[in-house]
Structures are given as structure tokens and as C-alpha cells.
Amino acid sequence: MTQEPANNQPATTETTPLIPFPLTTARALTTGCAALTALSTFTAWTWTTAFPGNLTINGYPGGLQLLTLTGALLTLLHTLAARGTPGLRWLNPAGGNRATLLLATGTLATTWYTLIAIAVQLGGIVNLEPGGYLAAITSLLTLLSALALPLERRTLTSHPDTDTPATPTLLHNLLRTLRPGTTPHPPPPARPLPPWAEILVIAAVFALALGVTTYGIGTSYGELFTGFLLLTGFTAAALHQAGLTARLTQLTAKHRNITIATAFIAAAVFPFTQDTDEYTLIIVNILIFATVALGLNVVVGLAGLLDLGYVAFLGVGAYTAALVSGSTASVFHIHFPFWAAALTGAAASLIFGVIIGAPTLRLRGDYLAIVTLGFGEIFRITVNNLDGHSGPSLTNGPNGIPNIPDLVLFGYNFGDSHTLGGLTLNAYANYYLLMLLFTVIVVLVFSRASNSRIGRAWIAIREDETAATAMGINGFRLKLLAFALGACLAGLAGTVQAHVIHTAVPESYVFAGPVPPNSAFLLAAVILGGMGTITGPLLGAALLYLIPAKLQFLQDYQLLAFGAALILLMRLRPEGIIPNRRRQLEFHEPAPAEGATP
């Protein structure tokens, strides 16, 4: 389908799929099938309430049906936006139908996962009602008709009669959308909005993100959380392909200070949306995990030092805080105020980082990884033996240091409930707000360090230490600085963790274990999220902690799932979910220009 050029402007053409459907027919089928999929959620999918979510009611969607309804409506809206429907064009600034295809795939995955789960749990497809069959058929037809749509619009640099676009296969259409490194064409410049409208857009996006996050964390059973992950993942990819992510990035860069303030406010509002401490505790642990991952990102992501014993620095901070915070099991019998305990824990971790790094950072690569792995094991064995029998009495051995009292800061007891302006803050909500403040401090430190002269020197060492040394960079001193800074940040998080869990035991600080944070999962969080970025490790830590916490059946297979996820990640997106621009260019070559000879 080609448009004639006007005023000597290049013509545009759409990639043509193999399915012999006219474009209008494919769009009509996609629109109609998406609408039918949405309507199917108002019918019963099963006859019994034994499957969680009560999918037996006609006229009211529940449980996983709400996710299918959301996916179908988003697919319908993006199909209409791709055809240029007035009022909806802002949903698809990049043009094309990549977003529609991804949303149709996510809707199909969520719907079929639900129906398969019903059949497996209840003993066969005989437990499906007609509404379930309707949802399965219409979601499949939506995807097939979306595959018949042209993926994108291309600009022809020569006359349309001589420049003919290639005709991809149906499977090629899907793979081109999902393949690693695929990015949409830059969207055309947006229509200027008043500054107040741009600020409202930013606020609305963060409010929506808070709502989605709260819903995902509050899912009450594993099947609903799995469906939520499927739909959210495909929706996020669709928004990127539609160009909405690029538009939002432009707005946040333009209003950077307002964006930071809005993000902090949205995060601070979270505990007020919770009635109990159950999910607030999960978020507190995620923030601890994420803060430690950011500290490791200094060592691994910026300086390129493979540290496999990093969790030991978290343990040093936790044990130090436990010993000086007034625990009944402490041999020192002293009670520092929290600010002094936090500084003591951070300083102890920093000293250990210098002591361990000074003799070992002259090693590189695998040798450094082996030495740091050994340090992590030495720390665990040492605190196990400092029980008064195998060694001096200091850490109470395998029993750890229990009964760590709640924090008291300026007379504010974090273990008690407090009412502020008619709103009640429970114990873990107090710790959440404190840990949020610590996370902001660590993010600020990482941001300043990575953009400084020292940060650029770390990146140079990571890329080629020999070349960096030849340019006059003192590699050993800067690597030791990165090691010490990372250890200090981990120790700071460890002081809060000790008060949150009220104990410090050796089993919490191992290389790989059933409960994060441990060294393997910390490293995975950095790699999964994206090395050298701020939001990458935060997202990676959240996923790696939240998924096992919500999906109880994965707890016995964490390492298996962890290994499979890393294999898939290295194959599909080696630069991480939120990649650093430099690393993305290293892993993926830029696409050739239209008409260029390969």
C-alpha cells in the first residue's frame, strides 16, 4: 500500500504481511475479535468456585478475567489508534501495529494461562464453561488477525515505483517485534503542550504506576500474580513499541526536578494504600535488596569488578548494628542511637572493603571472582565460629544476635503505630519510609559518582583497564575506591535490615540460598535490570524478590528458575531490561538505513 509523494516529499509504504487479507479486513477482524474477547469476560469460564477468583458469575468479571478484559480493551484501543481514529492517535505516536501485536499476544497468554490452570487444577477441560471456550477462540483470532497487520510504516527515499518493500512471512512479523534490540522508529515531534499539562501527564503516569504496583503486590493468589506478570510484561513492551515510553522520557527530561519529586511522593504514598503490614514488609525487603544491588552496581556495573561475596558487606553492617544497638544478646551491652549505629555499620563495612580489596584488587576477571567468593564464605564461617566455643564469644554462633530493639529516632519509635493527619502508619510502614529515604540517598550517591570524573574513570577501567592505565588512570586506587564505596552502601542497608528483622544470623549472608538477598541474587538483579543504570537494579531486585514471595511453589525451584531466567536473558536481551545506552550499542548493531546495501 503506497501513497503518492506530494510536493517532492518521500512517499510512505506499509510492510505487507503474507496473509492475503486486505488491510481493512485485518483491522476489522482485530477490532471485532478484541471486542468479543472483552465481552467473553462477562460470561462464566468455569462452573465451580474451587478455582480462585470466582469465575462462575455471568455479567461480572472477576479474578483473572479482569486481566483479560484489560488486555482486550488495550488491544482494541491501539488497533483504533493505529488506523488513525481521532482522539486516540496519541496512544500510538510511533505508528504501525507493533503495539497491537504485543498486546494481542499478552491477552492470549493471560487468557490461555487461566484456562489451562483451570483445566489442570480442576481435572480437565470439562470444567470449562462456554464463556471460557469463547475467550480462548476470540483471543487466538485476535492474535492471528493482528499478525496480518503491517508492522510499521517506512519512508521511501526513492520513487515508489522502483523501491518495493520486502514481504515478510507471518512468523517473521512476530519475531521482528519480539527479537532483542528491536526498537520502534522515532516518533514524530509531539504537539507542544502547556507546562501545566505536561506536569499533569507526569503526575498521572506515576499515579497509574502506583496503582498497578499496588494491585500486583496485593494479588491474593499465585495464579492471579502470574497472569498479572504476563500482561504487564507484554503491555510494557507494547508501550515502548508505540513510542509512548520515548514521549514520557522527553517529558521527564524536560521536567527533571518535578519528575523526581513526583516519583518520591508516589513511593511515599504506598504504605497509606495498605490496611495491613503483610505487603508493606515485602516492599521494605525489596528496598533493602534494591539498595544493596545499587551498591553492587558501583562495583560491577561501573568498575567492572566481578564480586561474588558482596552480601558479606551487608552482613558486616547488620552484625555491627546488632552489637551496638542494645540487643540483649550483644556482648558489648551498649545502645547507640540509630544515627550512630548506622554510621558505625557503614564504617565497619567500608573498613572491611578496604582490607579485602587492598590485597586482591590487583587480580582481574575470574581470579577476582574466586577471591571474593572465598571472602563471602570466610565471613559466614567466621560468624558461625565466634560463639564462645569454637572461637571468641562475639556473634553467638549459628543462633545469631536476636532481640534487636526497634529503632528510635528523635523520640519516634519505629516499632509503634503512629497517626499522622488522620492516617495510621504501622510499624513496617515506618521502616518503609526510612528505607525509602536511604534508597534516595544511595541513588543520589550512585548518580553523582557515575557522572563524575571518577565515574568516567571507572567506566574506562571496565572497558579496558590496560588502555585506561596507559592514559594515566590509577587503576588500583580507583578500583579500591569503588570496592570501598560499594561496601559502605551495603553496610548502611545492613543496619536497617538488622532492625527490620530484629535478628542477625549467618544463614542470611550466603552466596546462594532460598531467601534473598544473597550474592547470587544480588548479582542477578544487577545483570537482569541493566548494569550501570539506576532504575535497572531497582527493577531487577524487585522482580527477583517479589516473584518467589508471591509464587510459593517456586521456593523449592528458585535456583532452577533463576538459571533458566539468566539463560533466556543472555539470549534475548543481554544488556538487561533497562539497558545502559553504551552497553546496548555494544550488544546490538544499529539497523541499516532504508535502501542501504548490507
Side-chain angles (χ1 to χ4, degrees):
M1 174 177 169
T2 305
Q3 299 177 354
E4 293 298 330
N7 300 326
N8 296 324
Q9 296 295 322
T12 58
T13 187
E14 290 179 330
T15 55
T16 307
L18 186 63
I19 294 181
F21 281 169
L23 179 60
T24 54
T25 304
R27 283 177 174 167
L29 282 174
T30 306
T31 303
C33 292
L36 288 175
T37 303
L39 291 176
S40 71
T41 62
F42 291 87
T43 62
W45 285 10
T46 184
W47 62 274
T48 174
T49 57
F51 188 82
N54 193 5
L55 310 184
T56 64
I57 302 176
N58 288 302
Y60 182 80
L64 283 156
Q65 287 177 323
L66 289 173
L67 297 178
T68 295
L69 175 62
T70 302
L73 291 179
L74 288 175
T75 305
L76 178 62
L77 290 175
H78 273 271
T79 303
L80 296 175
R83 65 188 296 177
T85 303
L88 295 177
R89 294 176 183 175
W90 63 271
L91 281 173
N92 193 15
N97 297 281
R98 290 179 179 270
T100 302
L101 179 56
L102 285 169
L103 289 169
T105 306
T107 305
L108 176 75
T110 305
T111 304
W112 281 58
Y113 165 75
T114 304
L115 300 176
I116 292 173
I118 292 173
V120 170
Q121 290 190 24
L122 302 183
I125 61 174
V126 68
N127 293 284
L128 295 177
E129 289 288 295
Y133 293 106
L134 176 63
I137 294 172
T138 54
S139 60
L140 178 60
L141 291 177
T142 303
L143 176 61
L144 293 176
S145 54
L147 284 168
L149 294 172
L151 284 182
E152 62 190 14
R153 298 181 64 85
R154 294 181 176 179
T155 300
L156 299 180
T157 54
S158 61
H159 194 274
D161 292 338
T162 60
D163 193 352
T164 304
T167 303
T169 64
L170 180 144
L171 180 61
H172 179 64
N173 263 0
L174 181 59
L175 292 179
R176 281 186 59 205
T177 303
L178 301 178
R179 72 184 181 192
T182 300
T183 56
H185 290 299
R191 185 178 62 182
L193 294 175
W196 61 267
E198 295 178 341
I199 294 173
L200 282 179
V201 169
I202 294 173
V205 168
F206 278 104
L208 178 62
L210 175 63
V212 171
T213 303
T214 303
Y215 177 84
I217 294 174
T219 50
S220 55
Y221 48 95
E223 293 84 357
L224 183 60
F225 181 72
T226 303
F228 169 79
L229 283 182
L230 288 173
L231 183 62
T232 303
F234 280 102
T235 301
L239 296 180
H240 174 68
Q241 293 293 338
L244 288 175
T245 305
R247 287 281 171 84
L248 180 61
T249 302
Q250 294 172 1
L251 288 181
T252 55
K254 182 178 179 181
H255 304 280
R256 181 178 177 83
N257 293 332
I258 293 176
T259 300
I260 294 173
T262 306
F264 181 80
I265 293 173
V269 166
F270 172 80
F272 298 103
T273 65
Q274 304 298 307
D275 296 329
T276 65
D277 278 344
E278 179 183 359
Y279 301 123
T280 308
L281 176 59
I282 293 177
I283 294 297
V284 171
N285 287 320
I286 287 175
L287 287 179
I288 293 173
F289 192 9
T291 302
V292 181
L294 271 176
L296 180 60
N297 199 23
V298 174
V299 180
V300 177
L302 294 182
L305 307 174
L306 185 56
D307 188 349
L308 298 182
Y310 186 75
V311 75
F313 298 121
L314 178 70
V316 170
Y319 267 94
T320 302
L323 289 171
V324 301
S325 294
S327 170
T328 56
S330 172
V331 297
F332 294 137
H333 304 293
I334 56 178
H335 193 171
F336 285 2
F338 171 65
W339 63 267
L343 292 178
T344 304
S349 295
L350 187 148
I351 292 171
F352 269 86
V354 174
I355 292 175
I356 298 302
T360 61
L361 287 179
R362 299 187 188 278
L363 301 174
R364 298 185 186 181
D366 299 339
Y367 301 101
L368 178 61
I370 293 172
V371 170
T372 54
L373 176 61
F375 163 66
E377 288 300 299
I378 289 171
F379 171 79
R380 181 183 61 83
I381 294 172
T382 300
V383 295
N384 254 320
N385 290 333
L386 297 179
D387 56 357
H389 299 287
S390 302
S393 178
L394 183 63
T395 64
N396 206 22
N399 296 323
I401 303 177
N403 303 323
I404 301 174
D406 286 306
L407 290 177
V408 178
L409 189 61
F410 303 115
Y412 187 94
N413 192 321
F414 282 73
D416 297 335
S417 296
H418 299 272
T419 301
L420 300 176
L423 299 173
T424 300
L425 284 175
N426 296 322
Y428 289 123
N430 298 326
Y431 283 110
Y432 168 82
L433 294 176
L434 176 65
M435 200 60 227
L436 179 62
L437 180 61
F438 272 58
T439 304
V440 170
I441 294 173
V442 173
V443 167
L444 182 62
V445 171
F446 181 88
S447 176
R448 296 296 185 184
S450 62
N451 293 323
S452 67
R453 180 180 178 183
I454 293 176
R456 292 192 292 271
W458 283 336
I459 294 174
I461 293 172
R462 183 193 69 193
E463 298 299 325
D464 192 330
E465 185 174 351
T466 303
T469 304
M471 296 301 294
I473 295 176
N474 189 330
F476 173 75
R477 183 169 61 86
L478 288 173
K479 288 194 294 183
L480 184 60
L481 179 60
F483 212 72
L485 178 59
C488 180
L489 296 179
L492 191 63
T495 61
V496 180
Q497 185 199 35
H499 289 85
V500 170
I501 63 178
H502 300 292
T503 186
V505 292
E507 288 74 15
S508 299
Y509 311 106
V510 296
F511 171 71
V515 180
N518 52 64
S519 291
F521 276 79
L522 286 170
L523 186 61
V526 174
I527 297 174
L528 173 68
M531 291 194 297
T533 64
I534 294 176
T535 53
L538 296 177
L539 177 61
L543 291 176
L544 287 179
Y545 190 93
L546 187 60
I547 291 175
K550 300 295 293 185
L551 303 179
Q552 299 296 326
F553 68 91
L554 272 182
Q555 290 191 354
D556 294 332
Y557 306 97
Q558 278 194 44
L559 292 180
L560 176 63
F562 162 69
L566 282 184
I567 291 173
L568 291 174
L569 181 70
M570 292 299 100
R571 175 61 185 89
L572 298 176
R573 199 171 179 86
E575 70 274 23
I577 298 176
I578 303 178
N580 178 275
R581 182 65 59 85
R582 186 196 309 270
R583 292 185 61 82
Q584 190 174 30
L585 293 176
E586 291 174 0
F587 282 107
H588 302 292
E589 301 208 358
E594 291 292 333
T597 303

